[in-house]
Amino acid sequence: MKILALETSAKSVSCAVVEDGAPLASAYQCTGLTHSRTLLPMVDAMLKNADLTIDDMDALAIAAGPGSFTGLRIGIAAVKGLAWAADKPCLGISTLEAMAENIAHLNGLVVGAMDARRAQVYNAVFEAKDGVLTRLTPDRAISLEELCAQLMGKDQPITVLGDGGMLCQRYLTEHGVKCSLAPAALLYQNAVGVGLAAERAYARGESVSAQELLPVYLRPAQAERLRNAKLDQ
């Protein structure tokens, strides 16, 4: 089966077509240009260069969160529109699970981390063994102190990645948790990982319609928090 996967959860933007556990085509950009400007032209160019169309896809997948609120909304809207027009099923994939795919070949603990501001990281921990990932925690927004306490004393090698990886690895190391940062080429999330995770999700029967596809924010947006604070006064 072929899956078109998109990743818009952070500064970078990427797209890929994955089939049977391997990428057929992919494109990646991290220039600071807005995803609303770059995403769909990138998808169009990649498909044309690979002589593929949306109709060739069995499903469409997106990193549904956590991540940048604006980035997630752009990606979700794009997948909804493409899937609705082509009558294709959708898969919303955890950003943290998708990024962990980058280093699934490294046996040990994989710590996905994104800077969530307010002294927190969006985080999930996985165990990688012989190329297979096993989730050990749910996606959550927690403090670096809490994450450090959970990882303290672990015997397995620990590898940290994600756009919060440097922040996380530095804090853990300074507080006595031995860990490594993923290589630069594998540090950040990309659509290939979304596609690989989506294949497993599709096999588990987790696809949804375009109408049902929703982002996963983990916590309210700042505007919503400020509004709720005013209502509570």
Side-chain angles (χ1 to χ4, degrees), residues 5-202:
L6 310 183
E7 222 297 344
T8 61
S9 66
K11 180 182 177 182
S12 64
V13 58
S14 57
C15 57
V17 175
V18 171
E19 182 178 34
D20 300 330
L24 294 183
S26 65
Y28 177 94
Q29 187 168 313
C30 188
T31 60
L33 297 175
T34 61
H35 298 342
S36 58
R37 175 179 172 182
T38 57
L39 178 61
L40 290 179
M42 180 183 294
V43 171
D44 184 58
M46 178 193 69
L47 291 176
K48 285 181 178 177
N49 288 338
D51 197 22
L52 294 168
T53 70
I54 296 294
D55 288 335
D56 294 321
M57 303 300 123
D58 295 287
L60 279 68
I62 180 69
S68 157
F69 286 63
T70 301
L72 294 178
R73 285 194 289 267
I74 291 170
I76 291 285
V79 167
K80 278 178 171 287
L82 293 170
W84 188 286
D87 193 25
K88 301 290 183 179
C90 300
L91 295 135
I93 302 301
S94 158
T95 307
L96 297 163
E97 179 181 353
M99 72 170 65
E101 285 286 349
N102 293 4
I103 54 173
H105 60 287
L106 298 178
N107 288 350
L109 297 183
V110 177
V111 179
M114 302 179 71
D115 188 356
R117 313 289 182 179
R118 300 168 63 206
Q120 290 186 325
V121 288
Y122 295 128
N123 163 260
V125 180
F126 302 84
E127 181 181 24
K129 186 174 182 180
D130 299 329
V132 177
L133 290 172
T134 301
R135 181 182 281 274
L136 301 181
T137 73
D139 291 355
R140 65 266 177 94
I142 62 173
S143 67
L144 287 168
E145 182 180 5
E146 184 177 352
L147 176 61
C148 185
Q150 293 177 2
L151 296 174
M152 190 70 70
K154 298 292 185 182
D155 294 329
Q156 297 161 284
I158 299 173
T159 307
V160 183
L161 80 167
D163 61 14
M166 293 181 185
L167 171 71
C168 188
Q169 190 264 346
R170 183 169 58 248
Y171 183 94
L172 293 175
T173 301
E174 290 174 352
H175 290 80
V177 175
K178 186 177 180 180
C179 60
S180 301
L181 192 66
L186 303 175
L187 182 60
Y188 300 112
Q189 49 267 54
N190 66 74
V192 172
V194 176
L196 295 176
E199 285 190 326
R200 295 195 304 273
Y202 189 92

